[in-house]
C-alpha cells in the first residue's frame, strides 16, 4: 500500500510539471483518505503467526486511528474545492501519522520530489498503459 501511495504522489508531481509546461490551467493534486471505516478496512484479514493478535486488536486500533468514511472524504473534497490548492499539492488527515483528522497540506519527503524518480515513474506508466498526452486546457 505504501509503495502504491508513493507512486501516486510521484506521478502526480510529474503530471503537474507537464501540465504547467504545456500552459494548462488544470491542476494535478493528490490526496489520501487516511484510515477510514469502510468495508475495505472492515474486511481486511490478517495472516501469519500473529493474525489472532491483529484480529483481537482491531477494535482498539479502530478507536485510536480510524475515522468515519465521511471524514475520509475530506482530503478529496479539499483538493476539489479549496481555491488555495496548487498543482502538485498533497493532502491527508492531520493527526495520527496521516490516519485521521482534518485535511491538511502535507510537505512531501525529498525523495518524492526528485526529477529522476518522477521521470522513471512517468516512463514506466507510459510503458504500461500507453503514452499520455498533456495539453493546455
Amino acid at each position: 500500500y505504501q509503495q502504491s501511495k508513493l507512486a501516486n504522489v510521484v506521478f502526480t508531481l510529474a503530471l503537474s510539471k507537464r501540465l504547467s509546461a504545456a500552459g494548462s490551467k488544470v491542476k494535478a493534486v493528490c490526496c489520501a483518505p487516511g484510515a477510514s471505516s469502510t468495508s475495505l478496512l472492515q474486511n481486511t484479514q490478517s495472516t501469519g503467526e500473529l493474525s489472532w493478535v491483529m484480529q483481537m486488536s482491531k477494535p482498539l486500533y479502530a478507536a485510536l486511528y480510524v475515522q468515519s468514511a465521511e471524514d475520509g472524504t475530506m482530503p478529496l473534497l479539499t483538493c476539489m474545492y479549496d481555491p488555495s490548492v496548487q498543482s502538485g499539492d498533497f493532502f491527508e488527515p492531520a493527526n495520527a501519522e496521516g490516519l485521521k483528522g482534518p485535511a491538511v497540506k502535507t510537505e512531501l519527503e525529498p525523495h518524492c520530489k526528485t526529477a529522476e524518480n518522477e521521470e522513471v515513474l512517468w516512463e514506466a506508466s507510459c510503458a504500461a498503459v500507453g503514452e499520455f498526452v498533456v495539453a493546455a486546457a
Side-chain angles (χ1 to χ4, degrees):
Y1 174 79
Q2 292 169 337
Q3 294 273 335
S4 64
K5 185 176 174 182
L6 175 61
N8 282 330
V9 170
V10 173
F11 182 87
T12 300
L13 293 174
L15 177 59
S16 175
K17 288 179 182 173
R18 283 167 170 78
L19 288 167
S20 178
S24 178
K25 295 178 184 175
V26 173
K27 296 177 186 178
V29 295
C30 199
C31 63
S36 302
S37 184
T38 64
S39 61
L40 176 65
L41 185 63
Q42 294 162 357
N43 294 321
T44 300
Q45 295 294 319
S46 300
T47 59
E49 291 180 25
L50 297 177
S51 63
W52 67 273
V53 173
M54 296 299 291
Q55 290 300 326
M56 297 295 288
S57 64
K58 258 188 183 179
L60 177 60
Y61 175 83
L64 293 173
Y65 301 110
V66 177
Q67 62 191 352
S68 70
E70 292 80 11
D71 287 343
T73 65
M74 293 312 297
L76 175 62
L77 293 173
T78 299
C79 286
M80 291 172 54
Y81 295 110
D82 186 330
S84 69
V85 172
Q86 298 296 310
S87 193
D89 285 352
F90 175 62
F91 284 80
E92 68 180 349
N95 304 322
E97 299 297 324
L99 295 176
K100 70 184 221 180
V104 295
K105 179 181 172 187
T106 300
E107 188 60 35
L108 298 170
E109 297 290 332
H111 65 273
C112 295
K113 300 185 279 187
T114 69
E116 179 183 0
N117 286 344
E118 290 173 13
E119 193 59 32
V120 166
L121 186 60
W122 186 268
E123 292 301 322
S125 298
C126 288
V129 299
E131 198 65 34
F132 292 94
V133 176
V134 178

